[in-house]
């Protein structure tokens, strides 16, 4: 049951209920459903890692299923900082729902782990990279609805900066993993170049705050960055859908 599309379909229904609670200003209801969805997602991740009979740590951070988990944790944290989920959080929950629907559609099997794709470095890489992609996509969703009220805008900026820190850690860890597994810390391939594009974009976005005219464009650049990050993250996943898997 857990290794089927129906389980993530159930999680999607739970998040749809959370979205309804958010739109009707029922903060507690929204929080309960978000927490329930996070719990179900965690159960899936653990089962996904162990269903072959051997616990595989890398499967715990399988991007298609781990990314929604990072997004819901971030939403719960931000909602707690703001007091409770409100209507302004609805684009963020809609983004969470979209990632969950994709996870329901995505193959549930695991790619047989090769020698250079196991160990501490790839595990840490996917933890930080997917957390960053989740925060970047979330910041783009929040930029759609957040007002320029000081607390909310600071929250948006901190989400972007935290995502950038996580992404920077992922690049360092990824370089170490690449050197250990393939003998090169960087390669001129689509995977590494797309990561560099995201890192440079958000590095520029953070430093452009020093320009006096930047405030007007900040919202649109945050939305554009979220779209870029989500496109790159899910283009990798679409490519990996064609790989041979164990368990479907």
């Amino acid at each position: 049951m857990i290794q089927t599309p129906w389980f993530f379909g159930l999680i999607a229904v739970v998040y749809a209920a959370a979205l309804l609670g958010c739109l009707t200003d029922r903060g507690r209801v929204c929080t309960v459903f978000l927490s329930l969805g996070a719990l179900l997602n965690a159960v899936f991740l653990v089962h996904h890692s162990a269903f072959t009979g051997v616990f595989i740590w890398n499967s715990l951070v399988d991007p298609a299923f781990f990314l929604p988990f990072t997004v819901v944790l971030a939403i719960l944290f931000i909602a707690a900082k703001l007091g409770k989920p409100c209507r302004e959080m609805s684009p963020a929950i809609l983004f969470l729902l979209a990632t969950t629907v994709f996870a329901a559609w995505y193959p549930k099997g695991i790619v047989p782990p090769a020698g250079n794709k196991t160990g501490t470095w790839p595990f840490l890489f996917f933890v930080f990279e997917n957390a960053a992609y989740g925060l970047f996509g979330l910041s783009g969703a929040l930029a759609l609805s957040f007002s320029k009220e000081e607390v909310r805008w600071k929250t948006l900026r901190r989400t972007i900066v935290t995502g950038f820190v996580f992404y920077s850690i992922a690049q360092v860890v990824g370089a170490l993993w690449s050197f250990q597994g393939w003998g090169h810390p960087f390669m001129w391939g689509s995977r590494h170049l797309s990561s560099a594009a995201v890192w440079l974009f958000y590095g520029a976005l953070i430093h452009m705050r020093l320009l006096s005219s930047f405030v007007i464009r900040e919202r649109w650049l945050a939305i554009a960055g979220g779209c870029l990050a989500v496109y790159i993250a899910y283009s990798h996943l679409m490519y990996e859908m064609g790989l041979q898997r164990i368990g479907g």
Side-chain angles (χ1 to χ4, degrees):
M1 169 62 183
I2 292 180
Q3 285 291 131
T4 65
W6 299 108
F7 193 77
F8 257 93
L10 173 63
I11 299 174
V13 171
V14 170
Y15 288 149
L19 179 62
L20 182 61
C22 177
L23 292 171
T24 55
D25 282 329
R26 296 180 180 179
R28 285 189 178 180
V29 172
C30 181
T31 301
V32 167
F33 280 113
L34 287 174
S35 302
L36 176 59
L39 178 61
L40 292 173
N41 198 332
V43 168
F44 175 87
L45 290 172
V46 173
H47 183 274
H48 182 63
S49 303
F51 86 97
T52 59
V54 178
F55 194 89
I56 302 173
W57 283 97
N58 284 20
S59 297
L60 194 65
V61 291
D62 193 327
F65 314 117
F66 184 69
L67 197 150
F69 184 64
T70 66
V71 172
V72 70
L73 292 183
I75 290 174
L76 286 168
F77 180 80
I78 291 171
K81 294 286 285 183
L82 296 178
K84 65 174 183 177
C86 56
R87 287 190 182 185
E88 285 181 310
M89 294 291 291
S90 57
I93 300 175
L94 192 59
F95 170 62
L96 169 63
L97 183 57
T99 63
T100 305
V101 170
F102 181 88
W105 175 59
Y106 195 78
K108 302 301 180 294
I110 63 170
V111 177
N116 57 1
K117 293 185 179 181
T118 58
T120 303
W121 294 128
F123 177 79
L124 291 175
F125 172 76
F126 285 116
V127 167
F128 285 107
E129 185 189 56
N130 286 291
Y133 278 138
L135 290 172
F136 290 152
L138 185 59
S139 65
L142 293 175
L144 285 169
S145 59
F146 267 13
S147 66
K148 286 293 185 73
E149 187 266 324
E150 185 178 5
V151 174
R152 280 165 170 71
W153 211 247
K154 277 187 177 180
T155 299
L156 174 63
R157 287 176 170 174
R158 286 170 182 167
T159 303
I160 292 172
V161 171
T162 304
F164 182 72
V165 170
F166 284 172
Y167 206 69
S168 298
I169 294 172
Q171 300 318 298
V172 174
V173 171
L176 292 170
W177 172 30
S178 181
F179 182 77
Q180 183 186 62
W182 291 272
H184 304 281
F186 179 83
M187 289 179 280
W188 292 96
S190 59
R191 189 69 164 86
H192 289 204
L193 290 174
S194 60
S195 295
V198 173
W199 190 87
L200 289 171
F201 180 92
Y202 278 98
L205 175 61
I206 290 169
H207 288 88
M208 282 174 67
R209 293 178 191 164
L210 300 173
L211 301 176
S212 59
S213 60
F214 175 64
V215 177
I216 302 173
R217 304 175 189 140
E218 188 172 9
R219 182 188 302 275
W220 301 109
L221 286 172
I223 295 170
C227 292
L228 172 66
V230 169
Y231 171 76
I232 288 175
Y234 280 91
S235 64
H236 295 325
L237 290 175
M238 293 292 287
Y239 166 76
E240 291 175 0
M241 286 186 73
L243 300 178
Q244 186 175 5
R245 295 172 181 273
I246 300 171

